[in-house]
Amino acid sequence: MPGTGAPPPAALPHLRSHPRGGVRGGQGASGCGPAVPPQLGARVVGGEDAVAHSWPWQISLQYSRNGGWSHTCGGTLIAPSWVLTAAHCFSSSLTYRVVLGEHDLTGAVAPCRGGGGVSPVPPIPLHAASPCSNDIALIKLTQPVQESASIQAACLPPSGLELPNNYPCEVTGWGRLWTNGPLADVLQQALLPVVDYSTCSQADWWGGLVRTSMVCAGGDGVVSGCNGDSGGPLSCQRDGLWEVHGIVSFGSSWGCNTYKKPTVFTRVSAYIDWINEVGPSHLAVARAWHGRETERSGPLCPKSNVYNRSSFKY
């Protein structure tokens, strides 16, 4: 999460949530969405360290490499057996695990608390209208996790809900601290205000690459998501609860924090019906994308997946 320069607008305070949501997009019986109040600094420079376990739905998707495990993407715990992430994070040739309840990934080669396997079942595609659409996936864990102070399911928004322009949200992840920089060891957080579709789809912003099934956030040239944040949540407070409204999908190949090239997220509220259809009934890594395997470039989600010269997958 790169960033330098002027202080961002003040973030909404974290509040403890009441039971709500779960996988049902705000309509279930299970509790969701609690968070520990973060310590927000006056300036965002490469993001900032989150307070430990203040985003308890954040997961690290890791793949097996040279006898150890490497972080590749983020994700969101939405139910005891289900994680929401980006479809482009996966390769059929790799073995993955999901790590929950972590804050500092230093020494992640060792077994991590809350580590869970991913069910090795063929993906279930959801056909897309364009190459950048439907970058969403559900991971079915091999066994349900026990919720605790550091592991909690996120709330999901109601189906179809779109947040207004400049609505304050937070992106979190262990992605690069600046363009071509190192991955973060400690979970980072950064304020990213929503950029509405009418603005983000303008020619000098993202133009036709942005669809109504996406949500943009940031674009000030200061703060953004970056490689390694893919699949992670865009968390927004609404009616006193924190809901996950976005899944980190792609950004600019000119630099993660390029002006008028906000981080683009899959809009979760556009897929609530699909999540509810797939989640309860399939023991699978259910991919909702355009069905083409992506290339990988080392321990990050693929930068090689370029749709034009101004964008790439994180």
Side-chain angles (χ1 to χ4, degrees):
M1 270 168 231
T4 58
L12 291 172
H14 276 62
L15 299 176
R16 283 282 175 181
S17 72
H18 297 289
R20 181 180 173 188
V23 76
R24 292 291 174 183
Q27 298 176 357
S30 63
C32 64
V36 176
Q39 297 171 352
L40 297 176
R43 299 174 70 86
V44 174
V45 180
E48 61 188 356
D49 292 356
V51 174
H53 312 307
S54 59
W55 306 100
W57 47 85
Q58 174 82 46
I59 68 96
S60 170
L61 181 65
Q62 302 180 359
Y63 70 99
S64 179
R65 184 179 69 160
N66 299 328
W69 296 92
S70 296
H71 172 82
T72 185
C73 282
T76 300
L77 183 71
I78 61 171
S81 294
W82 291 94
V83 166
L84 192 64
T85 188
H88 80 261
C89 290
F90 292 97
S91 169
S92 60
S93 63
L94 297 176
T95 299
Y96 296 91
R97 74 172 183 179
V98 169
V99 175
L100 307 98
E102 287 299 320
H103 177 64
D104 187 340
L105 294 183
T106 304
V109 170
C112 295
R113 180 174 66 255
V118 177
S119 298
V121 178
I124 302 170
L126 177 68
H127 297 294
S130 74
C132 294
S133 295
N134 298 330
D135 190 10
I136 184 172
L138 281 169
I139 299 172
K140 173 71 175 183
L141 304 178
T142 53
Q143 57 184 3
V145 298
Q146 295 295 318
E147 293 195 347
S148 66
S150 60
I151 301 174
Q152 295 283 332
C155 297
L156 300 184
S159 181
L161 180 68
E162 297 184 41
L163 296 175
N165 193 57
N166 211 38
Y167 197 95
C169 297
E170 297 271 344
V171 63
T172 51
W174 289 278
R176 291 186 185 271
L177 296 172
W178 54 84
T179 302
N180 297 322
L183 292 174
D185 291 325
V186 173
L187 184 67
Q188 299 291 292
Q189 65 181 35
L191 177 71
L192 285 187
V194 168
V195 179
D196 63 15
Y197 175 76
S198 64
T199 301
C200 199
S201 59
Q202 292 177 12
D204 58 337
W205 287 70
W206 275 114
L209 275 179
V210 171
R211 303 289 187 264
T212 56
S213 59
M214 304 172 185
V215 59
C216 303
D220 62 356
V222 177
V223 181
S224 74
C226 203
N227 305 75
D229 291 323
S230 272
L234 180 70
S235 301
C236 312
Q237 193 182 47
R238 195 178 65 88
D239 297 334
L241 298 174
W242 284 90
E243 299 171 334
V244 171
H245 282 256
I247 302 166
V248 178
S249 182
F250 68 90
S252 176
S253 61
W254 296 329
C256 292
N257 53 341
T258 299
Y259 181 59
K260 288 191 175 181
K261 290 293 183 286
T263 304
V264 181
F265 301 78
T266 301
R267 180 166 62 85
V268 173
S269 64
Y271 295 93
I272 295 298
D273 291 344
W274 179 81
I275 291 169
N276 285 326
E277 177 184 355
V278 173
S281 59
H282 297 284
L283 303 180
V285 178
R287 293 174 54 191
W289 199 32
H290 65 290
R292 187 184 71 189
E293 289 296 336
T294 62
E295 298 177 5
R296 298 187 60 85
S297 55
L300 300 174
C301 292
K303 184 176 179 177
S304 59
N305 203 4
V306 179
Y307 296 108
N308 68 17
R309 70 186 192 92
S310 66
S311 71
F312 64 83
K313 292 288 180 182
Y314 282 152

